[in-house]
Amino acid sequence: MTRLAGSDVIVVGAGFGGLSAACFLADAGANVHLLEKNDQLGGRASRLEKDGFRFDMGPSWYMMPDVFERFFDHFDRTPEEYYSLSHLDPHYRMFFKDGDQVDIRPDNDYLRDLFESYEDGAGEVFDDYLATSQHHYETAMEKFVYEDRSRLRDWIDLDVVRAAPVGLQLIGSMQSHVEDYFDNPKLQQIMQYTLVFLGGSPKNTPALYNIMSHVDFNLGVYYPDGGLGAVVDGVAELGKELGVTYETGAAVSEITRRKNGFLVETESETYNPDYVVSNADYRHTEQELLPEHERQYDADYWDKRTYAPSAFLIYMGVEGDVEPLAHHTLVLPEDWDPHFDQIFEEPSWPDEPAYYICAPSKTDDTVAPDGHSNLFVLVPIAPGLHDGDQVRQEYREKILADIADHTGVDLRDRIVVEEQFSVSDFGERYNATEGTALGLAHTLRQTSLLRPSNRSSAVDGLYFTGSFTTPGIGVPMCLISGEHAANALIEDQT
């Protein structure tokens, strides 16, 4: 397939959306040059290496393996040619702050019994919920995720009409949907924890995202040996095989349409490609890189968007083991509504936080020196919060004390390496609007064609990929977004 033979394309930003778009465009014959602001590829999937410890700085869950298989299959490859996977058992461990603890394992018979132990009849209901989730997942992926429907005309389609009943059933909130199945608050939390990774809350995320239970329980949770950075390396290597060239330390300062093609400026170079695909923060691209007359949206539009949470992250190398933590651990209060309210309704540092701990050294002994453990703690917080040194230090002490109280793991006297990352760092490192860690939240008003388009309506030849556009947030969705952006360019220009 050489439909873009001879065309020059600049891709701005080497997150998964940009890496994916570059692969598809190079496969279509384009000369693709990818410019990355930072010193490594991967965008938010960066790595931090210090004193023998190696941390995934961003995404750390490998879910939806079918999406990765489909991506590599397009190029007649398999993921196994680029990285290996370990199936986690348990998928994750949950500590409830009332002292309760559960493991979520890749065993639905076990899970059925677990649910039944919390609520009479919940085991059978679990099966019903999961069957519904699988049906919705398969329908949504085939009709609405792999098919780019970012324009109104894309919805005038017999397939959409046939699939419409699924969507119409699921326009309420996840909270109300899950309450129809389970009364026990802990079971409701188990079925909804993934909303944090979608940048929403149970009250503002459409019930369509019940599909994540199929992803969680049926498709499984994996670990790419070496961390998510190994997946970055794999996709980048595929791009190199297809002819993509990469340039790091190349922050783009301007994108302007010219009579023939574009002018793209960095601090040291000027490029004149035929087309541009931006994987940079969408608002940053429009408001900071494009001249005003080439923007689709004004500042007021961006001010009215609902952004996904930012995060307070502590990366720690510690002496000794970290039993009883699992590779993935969630620590949840009995009532998590106040935490979500402090993200979306009344932004402030959470008083009673729900948080995530990743300890990859439980699975991978290459990420920490002998006798040590590698872990990071992620607390979702509101985007735009002030995160100066004093508030960070105070919150650090709060979180480390909370971990000791509710998991039994006291890290405070064992930390030999520590780095923090929060709102202002997301803004500085990734040009992230309001320091969001994820992009645009998946609210009902920001789902599907209500998200910003892959195509610029103001500038011919300019396209967007990443977590602001369709299909949305998360590594698998960004891989698909890159495909959508590339296909839109190919469709428009050939």
Side-chain angles (χ1 to χ4, degrees):
M1 182 172 63
T2 56
R3 285 173 283 178
L4 293 180
S7 298
D8 294 321
V9 180
I10 289 288
V11 176
V12 180
F16 275 103
L19 292 172
S20 170
C23 288
F24 283 101
L25 291 168
D27 192 49
N31 303 311
V32 181
H33 190 64
L34 192 153
L35 303 174
E36 167 54 43
K37 169 182 179 289
N38 295 308
D39 61 357
Q40 55 182 296
L41 304 179
R44 284 170 170 79
S46 298
R47 280 169 286 195
L48 170 65
E49 299 192 30
K50 186 173 182 179
D51 296 341
F53 295 91
R54 185 176 67 248
F55 303 92
D56 280 323
M57 294 187 69
S60 58
W61 294 66
Y62 189 98
M63 304 176 82
M64 302 176 71
D66 52 325
V67 173
F68 296 89
E69 291 164 5
R70 178 182 176 275
F71 171 79
F72 282 101
D73 182 65
H74 178 86
F75 307 100
D76 297 320
R77 275 106 161 157
T78 65
E80 291 77 17
E81 295 176 56
Y82 297 92
Y83 53 87
S84 58
L85 295 173
S86 298
H87 193 179
L88 297 183
D89 186 3
H91 285 169
Y92 48 93
R93 180 166 294 156
M94 304 180 90
F95 289 92
F96 297 99
K97 293 189 181 183
D98 65 358
D100 198 6
Q101 173 186 334
V102 301
D103 281 359
I104 304 301
R105 297 178 50 208
D107 180 343
N108 283 352
D109 289 336
Y110 160 86
L111 292 171
R112 192 178 301 110
D113 291 341
L114 174 68
F115 273 58
E116 189 70 29
S117 72
Y118 279 93
E119 183 179 316
D120 288 343
E124 184 176 347
V125 172
F126 172 78
D127 287 336
D128 293 341
Y129 188 97
L130 211 53
T132 300
S133 174
Q134 178 173 351
H135 171 62
H136 292 163
Y137 178 87
E138 292 169 353
T139 301
M141 294 299 288
E142 181 183 355
K143 305 300 183 186
F144 305 116
V145 176
Y146 290 134
E147 290 288 333
D148 181 21
R149 300 188 189 277
S150 57
R151 300 171 296 182
L152 186 60
R153 76 186 195 195
D154 298 326
W155 291 77
I156 305 172
D157 185 311
L158 186 58
D159 283 347
V160 174
V161 173
R162 289 171 178 155
V166 169
L168 292 174
Q169 292 169 24
L170 299 171
I171 59 174
S173 72
M174 271 294 297
Q175 182 63 41
S176 62
H177 178 73
V178 172
E179 285 175 347
D180 287 341
Y181 287 83
F182 304 103
D183 294 324
N184 186 282
K186 291 178 181 176
L187 298 184
Q188 292 178 11
Q189 288 184 330
I190 290 171
M191 304 311 275
Q192 297 185 89
Y193 85 92
T194 51
L195 300 185
V196 173
F197 304 124
L198 295 171
S201 80
K203 294 179 180 178
N204 71 12
T205 302
L208 174 63
Y209 292 100
N210 79 337
I211 64 176
M212 294 305 295
S213 290
H214 172 66
V215 170
D216 186 356
F217 300 120
N218 289 336
L219 299 183
V221 180
Y222 295 81
Y223 173 73
D225 297 327
L228 260 289
V231 184
V232 173
D233 292 344
V235 177
E237 177 60 30
L238 168 62
K240 186 182 297 184
E241 293 168 5
L242 295 168
V244 178
T245 58
Y246 304 99
E247 184 176 351
T248 57
V252 171
S253 57
E254 181 181 357
I255 301 171
T256 308
R257 179 71 191 181
R258 290 291 187 249
K259 183 176 181 181
N260 295 308
F262 288 84
L263 179 146
V264 176
E265 291 271 10
T266 69
E267 185 176 303
S268 58
E269 296 287 343
T270 298
Y271 302 88
N272 298 105
D274 299 298
Y275 312 110
V276 173
V277 177
S278 179
N279 185 215
D281 180 278
Y282 207 127
R283 188 215 63 85
H284 172 76
T285 303
E286 286 236 326
Q287 296 294 302
E288 306 298 332
L289 304 185
L290 292 169
E292 187 171 358
H293 68 280
E294 294 180 0
R295 300 171 188 168
Q296 303 168 89
Y297 310 106
D298 59 18
D300 186 54
Y301 170 88
W302 295 111
D303 289 344
K304 291 179 178 177
R305 299 307 95 190
T306 299
Y307 295 96
S310 186
F312 176 60
L313 286 142
I314 313 172
Y315 306 96
M316 291 174 282
V318 303
E319 292 180 330
D321 202 352
V322 288
E323 293 290 352
L325 301 179
H327 186 123
H328 296 307
T329 298
L330 299 159
V331 183
L332 305 177
E334 294 177 73
D335 180 6
W336 63 6
D337 286 346
H339 187 163
F340 282 114
D341 288 343
Q342 288 182 288
I343 293 175
F344 292 103
E345 304 300 330
E346 298 177 2
S348 58
W349 287 78
D351 297 313
E352 188 60 69
Y355 54 91
Y356 161 60
I357 307 170
C358 181
S361 52
K362 304 286 288 189
T363 304
D364 185 350
D365 59 11
T366 70
V367 299
D370 288 345
H372 293 75
S373 296
N374 167 320
L375 71 159
F376 70 78
V377 182
L378 183 155
V379 186
I381 61 175
L385 288 183
H386 171 69
D387 66 341
D389 291 342
Q390 182 175 344
V391 68
R392 287 195 191 200
Q393 183 61 27
E394 291 173 354
Y395 213 72
R396 171 194 184 273
E397 298 301 324
K398 178 183 180 73
I399 293 300
L400 293 181
D402 201 271
I403 292 170
D405 289 344
H406 298 296
T407 73
V409 180
D410 196 336
L411 303 167
R412 288 169 289 192
D413 295 330
R414 299 194 281 147
I415 300 171
V416 297
V417 166
E418 179 177 347
E419 296 286 345
Q420 297 177 4
F421 203 87
S422 196
V423 182
S424 57
D425 302 301
F426 281 102
E428 180 179 351
R429 184 174 176 84
Y430 306 119
N431 294 315
T433 300
E434 295 190 13
T436 173
L438 299 167
L440 278 187
H442 280 278
T443 64
L444 186 58
R445 295 183 179 182
Q446 294 179 175
T447 292
S448 192
L449 81 167
L450 300 180
R451 297 177 78 79
S453 176
N454 294 103
R455 292 174 168 89
S456 170
S457 61
V459 181
D460 289 341
L462 175 61
Y463 300 84
F464 295 87
T465 183
S467 62
F468 273 64
T469 186
T470 56
I473 285 171
V475 173
M477 296 297 105
C478 287
L479 275 179
I480 298 168
S481 177
E483 178 182 0
H484 287 344
N487 285 343
L489 193 163
I490 294 165
E491 177 185 324
D492 293 347
Q493 310 303 331
T494 58

